Amino acid sequence: MGEKGKIFFLLIVTFFFNSCQLIKDPPVFEDLYEQEIKGINWNDVDELPLLEPCKIFKSKGLKQECFFNIMNDSIYNKLLRKSSFYLFTKIDTVKLLVTISADSKISFKTKFPSTASEFEQRKVDSIIQSKLVNFPPIYPATKRGIPVASRFEIPVILMPYKKRK
């Protein structure tokens, strides 16, 4: 075997050993899925819930500000219009836990201060639930393009300062 033959032989052997490494099993779907799932931060969404008027904004921050401003205004307008919470309760502030489901349904859960009686809680919650209806359509939050549920809390002052005792 001449010099050219030895070089050719070495090239063939090198190619043979390297080609074995190139012919690997394709990645298993379950492994890729597990890696992807572990890499997702489930406590954060890609897109926050959205109201139609807020679609005009490009930045995520402006969309969020628009959404919360409209939600706060809507909640206060619905609750405090013709409401007289101060006639039967000493509760001046509650927190509303707002949940927007993946299918765009909105629900409210009232969180009361520890000093509120059960009667006050039932009465105030009844009024709140009856008034917080007919919201404009809300687009749900999304994670990787998939609609997901989201929750946030809004403090609500039930009575004007001058009415408090």
Side-chain angles (χ1 to χ4, degrees), residues 64-142:
Q64 179 179 358
E65 185 178 339
C66 173
F67 175 79
F68 283 111
N69 285 341
I70 291 174
M71 284 299 293
N72 281 333
D73 288 349
S74 294
I75 288 170
Y76 273 96
N77 287 334
K78 288 174 180 288
L79 284 181
L80 300 179
R81 185 180 312 133
K82 298 180 183 174
S83 290
S84 51
F85 288 101
Y86 59 88
L87 293 176
F88 56 84
T89 182
K90 292 179 183 168
I91 300 171
D92 63 352
T93 304
V94 296
K95 291 182 180 176
L96 280 181
L97 180 62
V98 181
T99 303
I100 300 169
S101 67
D103 61 352
S104 299
K105 291 186 176 121
I106 188 167
S107 63
F108 301 92
K109 183 174 183 340
T110 313
K111 296 173 91 179
F112 294 92
S114 59
T115 57
S117 72
E118 191 174 321
F119 172 77
E120 289 175 312
Q121 289 180 25
R122 280 196 313 258
K123 193 71 170 163
V124 170
D125 190 52
S126 171
I127 292 171
I128 287 174
Q129 295 301 326
S130 70
K131 289 188 170 271
L132 294 180
V133 294
N134 300 324
F135 273 82
I138 298 175
Y139 300 97
T142 60

